[in-house]
């Protein structure tokens, strides 16, 4: 992204190409040019029939989806009153579900310095 932005900032044009990553120094180099869209394999799957799901079906499916992770974390942090640092520690330790289950079982959060 940075490489392409620099090319565009200099008034150049980004070439459609395959690039090779060099792990030793973290750089890339051109591998081969891609002149046509077919080079990217953008073509329809011939064995799949197109579908047009009804709005009702889409909404029924949407209702069965779990809460998105970012929304879940924001909700739990707000519900529990955790600071950003405390909540990050819970998430980074992999204990989010354990804490959620513990709170659901009736545990309450003790405030630091509360003596309990």
């Amino acid at each position: 992204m940075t490489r392409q932005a620099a090319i565009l900032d200099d008034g150049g044009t980004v070439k459609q190409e395959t690039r090779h990553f060099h792990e030793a120094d973290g750089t890339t180099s051109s591998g081969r040019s891609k002149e046509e869209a077919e080079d990217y394999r953008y073509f329809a799957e011939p064995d799949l029939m197109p579908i047009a799901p009804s709005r009702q079906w889409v909404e029924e499916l949407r209702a069965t989806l779990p809460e998105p992770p970012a929304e879940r974390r924001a909700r739990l942090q707000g519900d529990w009153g955790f600071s950003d640092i405390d909540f990050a520690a819970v998430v980074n330790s992999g204990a989010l579900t354990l804490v959620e289950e513990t709170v659901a079982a009736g545990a309450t959060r003790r405030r630091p310095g509360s003596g309990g």
Side-chain angles (χ1 to χ4, degrees), residues 2 4 12 15 19 26 28 32 40 46-47 53 60 64 68-69 74-75 85 87 91 93 96 104 107 111:
T2 302
Q4 290 180 350
K15 296 188 300 185
R19 296 194 60 85
T28 63
R32 73 175 182 96
Y40 287 99
D47 296 330
E60 287 174 15
T64 67
R75 177 181 56 80
I85 292 172
F87 196 74
V91 171
S93 70
L96 184 61
R111 303 270 181 212

Side-chain angles (χ1 to χ4, degrees), residues 3 19-29:
R3 180 188 64 80
R19 296 194 60 85
H20 297 287
F21 179 72
H22 305 284
E23 194 169 337
D25 60 5
T27 62
T28 63
S29 62

Side-chain angles (χ1 to χ4, degrees), residues 101-114:
E101 291 170 353
T102 302
V103 170
T108 58
R109 177 177 180 259
R110 288 193 310 238
R111 303 270 181 212
S114 66

Side-chain angles (χ1 to χ4, degrees), residues 3 7 29 36 39 66 68-69 94:
R3 180 188 64 80
I7 291 170
S29 62
E36 302 294 329
D39 287 342

Side-chain angles (χ1 to χ4, degrees), residues 8-77:
L8 295 173
D9 287 344
D10 290 339
T13 302
V14 177
K15 296 188 300 185
Q16 293 184 5
E17 64 183 348
T18 298
R19 296 194 60 85
H20 297 287
F21 179 72
H22 305 284
E23 194 169 337
D25 60 5
T27 62
T28 63
S29 62
S30 182
R32 73 175 182 96
S33 170
K34 292 187 173 182
E35 301 298 330
E36 302 294 329
E38 290 79 23
D39 287 342
Y40 287 99
R41 307 249 183 241
Y42 294 147
F43 49 86
E45 170 58 53
D47 296 330
L48 296 179
M49 297 297 296
I51 63 167
S54 70
R55 172 62 58 195
Q56 178 184 354
W57 188 43
V58 170
E59 293 306 321
E60 287 174 15
L61 293 174
R62 183 172 286 137
T64 67
L65 294 174
E67 182 179 21
E71 290 178 20
R72 175 179 174 233
R73 288 189 301 269
R75 177 181 56 80
L76 293 175
Q77 183 177 2

Side-chain angles (χ1 to χ4, degrees), residues 73-74 77-78 80-92 109:
R73 288 189 301 269
Q77 183 177 2
W80 299 342
F82 279 26
S83 70
D84 290 344
I85 292 172
D86 289 342
F87 196 74
V90 170
V91 171
N92 292 337
R109 177 177 180 259

